[in-house]
């Protein structure tokens, strides 16, 4: 039985359940299983060394489901450069239309995402961050914390 909410309508899913990006397990097999169960899952971009590897994982996921899937882009400081711009390109070129961002706000990514019809869910840990994300134009705010 499908449950109809603003989230299910916005993302074309059957149940208003979202499996956010999870380091170590956010691979195609789990994301496809979540999608096939009617919910929304996110491949975790930063687990892949390159945009090409991320694109391959998106394809592998799509080989297992025709339901909506997303990509998590957690924006964090790092000693080793993380190819965020290349990940963004891979997301857009792979025609992924749902991105979950977390960490630092996605200000650098929003223009390209919006220009290409990508909806953005931003994970926030405070009301202050939520207000900032809303001003940036994210589509959904996910409040995470204790």
């Amino acid at each position: 039985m499908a449950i109809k909410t603003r989230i299910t309508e916005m993302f074309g899913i059957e149940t208003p359940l979202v499996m956010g990006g999870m380091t170590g397990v956010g691979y195609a097999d789990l994301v496809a299983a979540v999608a096939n169960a009617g919910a929304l899952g996110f491949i975790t971009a930063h687990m892949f060394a390159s945009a090409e590897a991320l694109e391959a994982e998106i394809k592998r996921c799509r080989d297992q489901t025709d339901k909506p899937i997303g990509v998590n882009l957690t924006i964090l400081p790092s000693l080793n450069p993380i190819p965020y711009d290349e990940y963004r390109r891979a997301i857009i070129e792979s025609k992924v239309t749902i991105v979950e961002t977390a960490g630092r706000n996605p200000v650098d990514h929003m223009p390209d995402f919006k220009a290409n019809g990508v909806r953005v869910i931003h994970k926030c840990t405070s009301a202050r961050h939520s207000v900032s994300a809303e001003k940036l134009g994210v589509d959904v705010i996910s409040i995470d914390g204790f």
Side-chain angles (χ1 to χ4, degrees), residues 91-92 96-99 112-120 139:
I91 290 165
I92 292 167
V96 171
T97 60
I98 310 165
V99 168
D112 284 344
F113 284 152
K114 289 300 177 183
N116 287 281
V118 177
R119 294 192 180 220
V120 176
D139 298 284

Side-chain angles (χ1 to χ4, degrees), residues 11 13 18 27 38 45 51 64 68-69 77 79 85 95 98 115 134 137 145:
F11 297 119
I13 56 178
V18 176
Y27 291 105
Q64 298 178 59
I69 62 164
L79 292 176
D85 293 344
K95 307 240 183 287
I98 310 165
E134 180 184 27

Side-chain angles (χ1 to χ4, degrees), residues 12-137:
I13 56 178
E14 297 170 29
T15 60
L17 297 173
V18 176
M19 179 207 93
M22 294 188 288
T23 300
V25 297
Y27 291 105
D29 296 332
L30 178 58
V31 173
V34 167
N36 287 330
L40 178 60
F42 289 89
I43 295 169
T44 306
H46 72 261
M47 295 190 312
F48 301 93
S50 68
E52 293 75 24
L54 175 59
E55 287 177 278
E57 192 71 2
I58 293 167
K59 181 185 180 318
R60 198 167 79 78
C61 191
R62 288 214 168 115
D63 288 344
Q64 298 178 59
T65 187
D66 60 355
K67 308 264 177 135
I69 62 164
V71 173
N72 168 281
L73 194 62
T74 298
I75 307 162
L76 299 171
S78 175
L79 292 176
N80 299 315
I82 298 172
Y84 291 116
D85 293 344
E86 291 83 8
Y87 286 158
R88 184 179 65 239
R89 177 195 52 76
I91 290 165
I92 292 167
E93 288 180 3
S94 296
K95 307 240 183 287
V96 171
T97 60
I98 310 165
V99 168
E100 174 189 60
T101 58
R104 195 171 65 83
N105 77 47
V107 65
D108 297 336
H109 305 282
M110 291 301 292
D112 284 344
F113 284 152
K114 289 300 177 183
N116 287 281
V118 177
R119 294 192 180 220
V120 176
I121 299 172
H122 186 64
K123 284 186 187 180
C124 299
T125 58
S126 72
R128 181 174 56 95
H129 294 152
S130 299
V131 170
S132 295
E134 180 184 27
K135 288 178 183 175
L136 286 176

